[in-house]
Short mmCIF file of all heavy atoms in Angstrom, two decimals:
data_model
loop_
_atom_site.label_atom_id
_atom_site.label_comp_id
_atom_site.label_asym_id
_atom_site.label_seq_id
_atom_site.Cartn_x
_atom_site.Cartn_y
_atom_site.Cartn_z
N GLY H 176 -15.94 70.25 -34.15
CA GLY H 176 -15.61 70.91 -35.39
C GLY H 176 -16.50 70.51 -36.55
O GLY H 176 -17.11 69.44 -36.55
N PHE H 177 -16.56 71.38 -37.54
CA PHE H 177 -17.23 71.07 -38.80
C PHE H 177 -16.49 71.78 -39.92
O PHE H 177 -15.75 72.74 -39.70
CB PHE H 177 -18.71 71.46 -38.77
CG PHE H 177 -18.98 72.95 -38.68
CD1 PHE H 177 -19.14 73.72 -39.81
CD2 PHE H 177 -19.06 73.57 -37.45
CE1 PHE H 177 -19.40 75.08 -39.73
CE2 PHE H 177 -19.31 74.93 -37.34
CZ PHE H 177 -19.48 75.69 -38.50
N LEU H 178 -16.68 71.29 -41.14
CA LEU H 178 -15.97 71.78 -42.31
C LEU H 178 -16.99 72.13 -43.39
O LEU H 178 -17.92 71.36 -43.66
CB LEU H 178 -15.01 70.71 -42.82
CG LEU H 178 -14.13 71.04 -44.02
CD1 LEU H 178 -13.09 72.09 -43.67
CD2 LEU H 178 -13.43 69.77 -44.51
N ILE H 179 -16.82 73.31 -43.99
CA ILE H 179 -17.72 73.72 -45.06
C ILE H 179 -16.91 74.18 -46.26
O ILE H 179 -15.73 74.52 -46.15
CB ILE H 179 -18.63 74.89 -44.62
CG1 ILE H 179 -17.78 76.13 -44.27
CG2 ILE H 179 -19.52 74.49 -43.46
CD1 ILE H 179 -18.58 77.40 -44.14
N PHE H 180 -17.57 74.18 -47.43
CA PHE H 180 -17.00 74.78 -48.63
C PHE H 180 -18.05 75.69 -49.25
O PHE H 180 -19.15 75.24 -49.57
CB PHE H 180 -16.56 73.71 -49.63
CG PHE H 180 -15.39 72.89 -49.17
CD1 PHE H 180 -15.52 71.53 -48.99
CD2 PHE H 180 -14.16 73.48 -48.91
CE1 PHE H 180 -14.45 70.77 -48.55
CE2 PHE H 180 -13.09 72.72 -48.47
CZ PHE H 180 -13.22 71.37 -48.29
N PRO H 181 -17.75 76.96 -49.42
CA PRO H 181 -18.72 77.86 -50.06
C PRO H 181 -18.86 77.52 -51.54
O PRO H 181 -17.92 77.05 -52.18
CB PRO H 181 -18.10 79.24 -49.86
CG PRO H 181 -16.65 79.00 -49.64
CD PRO H 181 -16.53 77.65 -49.00
N HIS H 182 -20.06 77.75 -52.08
CA HIS H 182 -20.27 77.53 -53.51
C HIS H 182 -21.12 78.65 -54.10
O HIS H 182 -21.77 79.41 -53.38
CB HIS H 182 -20.90 76.15 -53.77
CG HIS H 182 -22.27 75.97 -53.21
ND1 HIS H 182 -23.39 76.54 -53.76
CD2 HIS H 182 -22.71 75.26 -52.13
CE1 HIS H 182 -24.46 76.18 -53.06
NE2 HIS H 182 -24.07 75.42 -52.05
N ASP H 183 -21.11 78.73 -55.43
CA ASP H 183 -21.86 79.78 -56.10
C ASP H 183 -23.28 79.31 -56.39
O ASP H 183 -23.69 78.21 -55.98
CB ASP H 183 -21.15 80.23 -57.38
CG ASP H 183 -21.04 79.13 -58.43
OD1 ASP H 183 -21.74 78.09 -58.29
OD2 ASP H 183 -20.28 79.31 -59.40
N GLU H 184 -24.04 80.14 -57.11
CA GLU H 184 -25.45 79.83 -57.38
C GLU H 184 -25.62 78.62 -58.28
O GLU H 184 -26.69 78.02 -58.33
CB GLU H 184 -26.14 81.06 -57.99
CG GLU H 184 -25.64 81.48 -59.35
CD GLU H 184 -24.37 82.33 -59.28
OE1 GLU H 184 -23.90 82.59 -58.15
OE2 GLU H 184 -23.85 82.73 -60.35
N LYS H 185 -24.55 78.22 -58.98
CA LYS H 185 -24.61 77.03 -59.84
C LYS H 185 -24.18 75.77 -59.09
O LYS H 185 -24.20 74.68 -59.66
CB LYS H 185 -23.71 77.23 -61.06
CG LYS H 185 -24.14 78.37 -61.97
CD LYS H 185 -23.18 78.52 -63.14
CE LYS H 185 -23.59 79.69 -64.03
NZ LYS H 185 -22.64 79.86 -65.17
N GLY H 186 -23.78 75.93 -57.83
CA GLY H 186 -23.34 74.78 -57.05
C GLY H 186 -21.88 74.46 -57.19
O GLY H 186 -21.41 73.43 -56.69
N CYS H 187 -21.11 75.32 -57.89
CA CYS H 187 -19.67 75.09 -58.05
C CYS H 187 -18.93 75.64 -56.84
O CYS H 187 -19.20 76.76 -56.39
CB CYS H 187 -19.18 75.79 -59.32
SG CYS H 187 -19.89 75.14 -60.84
N ILE H 188 -18.00 74.83 -56.32
CA ILE H 188 -17.25 75.25 -55.13
C ILE H 188 -16.47 76.51 -55.42
O ILE H 188 -15.75 76.62 -56.41
CB ILE H 188 -16.32 74.11 -54.66
CG1 ILE H 188 -17.16 72.94 -54.14
CG2 ILE H 188 -15.37 74.60 -53.57
CD1 ILE H 188 -16.35 71.73 -53.77
N LYS H 189 -16.63 77.48 -54.55
CA LYS H 189 -16.04 78.81 -54.75
C LYS H 189 -15.04 79.07 -53.63
O LYS H 189 -15.38 79.54 -52.54
CB LYS H 189 -17.16 79.86 -54.71
CG LYS H 189 -16.74 81.23 -55.21
CD LYS H 189 -16.74 81.32 -56.72
CE LYS H 189 -16.49 82.75 -57.20
NZ LYS H 189 -16.46 82.83 -58.66
N LEU H 190 -13.77 78.72 -53.88
CA LEU H 190 -12.73 78.91 -52.89
C LEU H 190 -11.84 80.07 -53.30
O LEU H 190 -11.58 80.28 -54.48
CB LEU H 190 -11.87 77.66 -52.76
CG LEU H 190 -12.58 76.33 -52.45
CD1 LEU H 190 -11.54 75.23 -52.27
CD2 LEU H 190 -13.45 76.45 -51.23
N GLN H 191 -11.36 80.80 -52.33
CA GLN H 191 -10.34 81.83 -52.54
C GLN H 191 -9.17 81.48 -51.62
O GLN H 191 -9.25 81.67 -50.42
CB GLN H 191 -10.89 83.22 -52.24
CG GLN H 191 -12.00 83.66 -53.19
CD GLN H 191 -12.52 85.05 -52.86
OE1 GLN H 191 -11.85 85.83 -52.19
NE2 GLN H 191 -13.70 85.36 -53.34
N LEU H 192 -8.14 80.93 -52.20
CA LEU H 192 -7.02 80.42 -51.43
C LEU H 192 -5.86 81.41 -51.36
O LEU H 192 -4.77 81.05 -50.94
CB LEU H 192 -6.55 79.09 -52.03
CG LEU H 192 -7.62 77.99 -52.05
CD1 LEU H 192 -7.08 76.72 -52.72
CD2 LEU H 192 -8.11 77.67 -50.64
N GLU H 193 -6.11 82.64 -51.75
CA GLU H 193 -5.09 83.66 -51.66
C GLU H 193 -5.06 84.24 -50.24
O GLU H 193 -5.98 84.05 -49.46
CB GLU H 193 -5.35 84.79 -52.67
CG GLU H 193 -5.33 84.35 -54.13
CD GLU H 193 -6.64 83.73 -54.57
OE1 GLU H 193 -7.64 83.88 -53.82
OE2 GLU H 193 -6.67 83.07 -55.63
N ALA H 194 -4.01 84.97 -49.94
CA ALA H 194 -3.87 85.56 -48.61
C ALA H 194 -5.00 86.54 -48.31
O ALA H 194 -5.36 87.37 -49.14
CB ALA H 194 -2.52 86.28 -48.51
N ASN H 195 -5.58 86.37 -47.12
CA ASN H 195 -6.60 87.31 -46.60
C ASN H 195 -7.85 87.41 -47.47
O ASN H 195 -8.54 88.43 -47.46
CB ASN H 195 -6.00 88.70 -46.41
CG ASN H 195 -4.81 88.70 -45.47
OD1 ASN H 195 -4.84 88.03 -44.44
ND2 ASN H 195 -3.76 89.41 -45.82
N ALA H 196 -8.15 86.36 -48.24
CA ALA H 196 -9.38 86.37 -49.04
C ALA H 196 -10.60 86.34 -48.11
O ALA H 196 -10.56 85.79 -47.02
CB ALA H 196 -9.39 85.16 -49.98
#
Side-chain angles (χ1 to χ4, degrees):
F177 66 92
L178 182 68
I179 62 167
F180 292 118
H182 64 75
D183 64 14
E184 65 278 0
K185 297 179 181 178
C187 296
I188 293 175
K189 193 80 173 179
L190 305 184
Q191 294 180 20
L192 301 178
E193 298 82 13
N195 302 319

